[in-house]
Amino acid sequence: MAKQVISTPVIRRLPRYYRFLGELEREHIERISSRELAMRMGLSASQIRQDFNCFGGFGQQGYGYHVKELREIIGNILGVHCKTGVILIGAGNLGKAIASHVDFRKRGCELIGVFDNNPLIQGTSTADLPIMPMESLDNFCKQHHPQVAVLCIPKDAAQQLAEQLISLGINGFWNFSHFDLRITNPDVIVENVHLGDSLLTLAYCMHRHENE
Amino acid sequence: MAKQVISTPVIRRLPRYYRFLGELEREHIERISSRELAMRMGLSASQIRQDFNCFGGFGQQGYGYHVKELREIIGNILGVHCKTGVILIGAGNLGKAIASHVDFRKRGCELIGVFDNNPLIQGTSTADLPIMPMESLDNFCKQHHPQVAVLCIPKDAAQQLAEQLISLGINGFWNFSHFDLRITNPDVIVENVHLGDSLLTLAYCMHRHENE
DNA sequence: TAGATTGTTAATCGATTAACAATC
DNA sequence: TAGATTGTTAATCGATTAACAATC
């Protein structure tokens, strides 16, 4: 099988496939055709078949796809069984919510450390983890080698901290800090989440809709 | 000016333009060329000019774009001066974090009510708003006519609640509930935010990178 | 005026859709 | 076998990039 490059739109759809297949499994549905899945997901059957065939032929002519099997395959592609070490920086409202609300384990990640520079909350804990002072960051990374950092910090601190973290071995960022990290190192992966942009997009659509 | 339909990729870039122009303004930069802006944002100059020209010619040949003016124009397109009434349902960790962390006003929205079905937290407050019981939802909507609902509730409750909210006049959802709302009504706008999918995308990219 | 940079048209690239032979 | 549905190739559509005349 030639190792082709998977396009971004396909990658972005994978977690959604995984989610819908989980749903189907919970509904005890054993097999599904691309046509049925397309209807549920609001995609085209053609697109679904194209997407899956980026990775290989998981279906069976005349039958469709075996839900459980397909879900496992996509889970493996996504790496849900990995145990990537994750630290979270900034245990304010948002940081704490993410630490406790997001199921890292289900997604191949393990939250192993939480840091904040506010002495008032150091020592308290979130998601069963003690909030550590920033001064411990260095030693912690040297000891536990986390790979991913979740940034829930103000935007002015983001770029500098990111660079420090890279030097400590971090090569993946889940960035909530209202600032687009620009990392030149091609081995570092950044996933920017801009909640504000998302709300603004919704606001625009509502606003436009009104004026039509 | 013919009213053309703006494509989704363009719409998704608008909040980002707005953000970067704000940054430039803060840096006291008066004018910028599409070329300079492209470098900063990691886009192409051509794309930027195309994007802006969906809405009209905001630039000046030989000069570029006036930062402050352009930012205001894009802000108006996005509707940042609107005061769309917003309610938030589900004041758990995530709900509270969003209520307090997201600046609704800057984005043409105003958070006017927070609801939760947990009696233990009813009466306490977030973001200066009292958390109200779900039973008050009906009356509140009839009185204040909010247009947008932020859903920070478990996925099993989402679809049903969304339908109820639509009947109460809500026509926009900012949906954090691990479930893709499927609304048939074309006047209702849904912005799904799947934090889990975002993390999984990052996990995939890390995982793939390792195996290369 | 000369230089710079836009607005806009044409060319290219990539993603989605359609079609159908292969095959379970 | 007949029916269904995949895997895959070709056609279409749309978005991005390139090019350049218009013009500040």
Side-chain angles (χ1 to χ4, degrees):
Chain A
M1 189 174 77
K3 204 165 200 176
Q4 75 191 106
V5 175
I6 311 298
S7 72
T8 319
V10 175
I11 294 172
R12 295 260 157 215
R13 280 193 291 270
L14 286 180
R16 197 150 170 268
Y17 287 128
Y18 187 66
R19 200 148 42 78
F20 272 79
L21 289 166
E23 204 64 52
L24 289 168
E25 219 180 312
R26 229 165 294 127
E27 291 175 30
H28 304 290
I29 293 171
E30 260 190 34
R31 62 164 280 273
I32 192 151
S33 67
S34 56
R35 202 173 142 272
E36 278 170 2
L37 188 58
M39 296 231 296
R40 283 194 175 235
M41 296 186 65
L43 300 172
S44 77
S46 220
Q47 184 170 47
I48 288 178
R49 293 204 297 278
Q50 290 273 22
D51 284 358
F52 291 169
N53 278 93
C54 292
F55 303 96
F58 306 143
Q60 200 172 324
Q61 277 103 330
Y63 173 84
Y65 298 88
H66 188 82
V67 171
K68 196 173 171 181
E69 191 185 300
L70 181 58
R71 179 163 181 274
E72 255 160 43
I73 291 169
I74 294 181
N76 288 334
I77 291 168
L78 287 168
V80 294
H81 301 301
C82 292
K83 287 193 172 154
T84 306
V86 175
I87 57 175
L88 185 147
I89 322 272
N93 271 311
L94 186 65
K96 277 193 232 169
I98 286 164
S100 57
H101 181 269
V102 174
D103 192 335
F104 286 87
R105 292 233 172 92
K106 265 193 192 158
R107 293 167 181 104
C109 294
E110 194 158 13
L111 186 62
I112 56 175
V114 178
F115 298 85
D116 198 291
N117 63 8
N118 179 357
L120 293 173
I121 61 169
Q122 285 160 13
T124 67
S125 65
T126 337
D128 288 325
L129 290 166
I131 298 173
M132 294 177 275
M134 293 300 283
E135 290 75 34
S136 318
L137 190 58
D138 225 274
N139 271 329
F140 186 92
C141 289
K142 278 166 188 155
Q143 215 176 331
H144 298 96
H145 305 289
Q147 279 194 75
V148 170
V150 187
L151 302 185
C152 300
I153 53 177
K155 70 173 184 317
D156 296 322
Q159 185 66 34
Q160 205 194 341
L161 182 62
E163 279 159 28
Q164 185 196 344
L165 286 162
I166 291 170
S167 75
L168 290 170
I170 295 288
N171 55 2
F173 290 97
W174 198 21
N175 175 33
F176 288 83
S177 81
H178 205 70
F179 178 87
D180 289 33
L181 294 177
R182 301 265 357 232
I183 308 288
T184 47
N185 186 331
D187 292 329
V188 176
I189 289 156
V190 178
E191 171 81 7
N192 290 309
V193 181
H194 284 291
L195 296 181
D197 287 9
S198 171
L199 177 60
L200 209 39
T201 305
L202 175 63
Y204 167 78
C205 292
M206 308 261 325
H207 176 237
R208 178 188 51 177
H209 203 79
E210 259 173 30
N211 301 331
E212 262 168 22
Chain B
M1 187 175 78
K3 204 166 200 174
Q4 73 190 110
V5 176
I6 311 299
S7 73
T8 318
V10 176
I11 294 173
R12 295 259 158 216
R13 280 193 291 270
L14 286 180
R16 199 151 169 268
Y17 286 129
Y18 188 66
R19 199 148 42 78
F20 272 78
L21 288 166
E23 203 64 53
L24 289 169
E25 218 180 312
R26 228 165 295 127
E27 291 175 29
H28 303 291
I29 294 171
E30 261 190 33
R31 63 165 280 272
I32 193 152
S33 67
S34 55
R35 200 172 144 272
E36 276 170 5
L37 188 57
M39 296 230 297
R40 283 196 176 233
M41 296 186 65
L43 301 172
S44 77
S46 221
Q47 183 170 50
I48 288 178
R49 293 203 299 276
Q50 290 274 23
D51 284 358
F52 292 168
N53 278 93
C54 292
F55 303 96
F58 307 143
Q60 201 172 322
Q61 277 102 329
Y63 174 83
Y65 299 88
H66 188 81
V67 171
K68 197 173 171 182
E69 192 186 300
L70 182 59
R71 180 164 179 271
E72 256 161 41
I73 291 169
I74 294 182
N76 288 333
I77 291 167
L78 288 168
V80 294
H81 302 301
C82 292
K83 285 191 176 160
T84 306
V86 176
I87 56 175
L88 185 147
I89 323 271
N93 272 311
L94 186 65
K96 276 193 234 170
I98 286 164
S100 57
H101 182 267
V102 174
D103 191 334
F104 286 87
R105 292 233 173 94
K106 264 194 195 160
R107 290 163 185 108
C109 294
E110 193 157 12
L111 186 62
I112 56 174
V114 178
F115 298 85
D116 199 292
N117 63 8
N118 179 357
L120 292 173
I121 61 169
Q122 285 159 13
T124 66
S125 65
T126 337
D128 289 325
L129 290 166
I131 297 173
M132 294 177 274
M134 293 301 282
E135 289 76 34
S136 318
L137 189 58
D138 225 273
N139 270 330
F140 186 92
C141 289
K142 277 166 192 157
Q143 217 178 328
H144 298 95
H145 305 288
Q147 278 195 75
V148 169
V150 187
L151 302 184
C152 299
I153 53 177
K155 69 175 185 313
D156 297 322
Q159 186 66 36
Q160 205 194 339
L161 181 63
E163 280 159 26
Q164 186 196 341
L165 286 163
I166 290 171
S167 75
L168 291 170
I170 295 286
N171 56 1
F173 290 98
W174 200 21
N175 175 33
F176 289 84
S177 81
H178 206 69
F179 177 85
D180 288 33
L181 294 178
R182 300 266 356 233
I183 308 289
T184 48
N185 187 331
D187 293 328
V188 176
I189 289 156
V190 179
E191 171 82 6
N192 290 308
V193 181
H194 284 292
L195 295 180
D197 286 9
S198 170
L199 177 60
L200 208 40
T201 305
L202 175 63
Y204 167 78
C205 291
M206 308 262 327
H207 175 239
R208 179 189 49 176
H209 204 81
E210 259 173 28
N211 302 330
E212 262 168 21

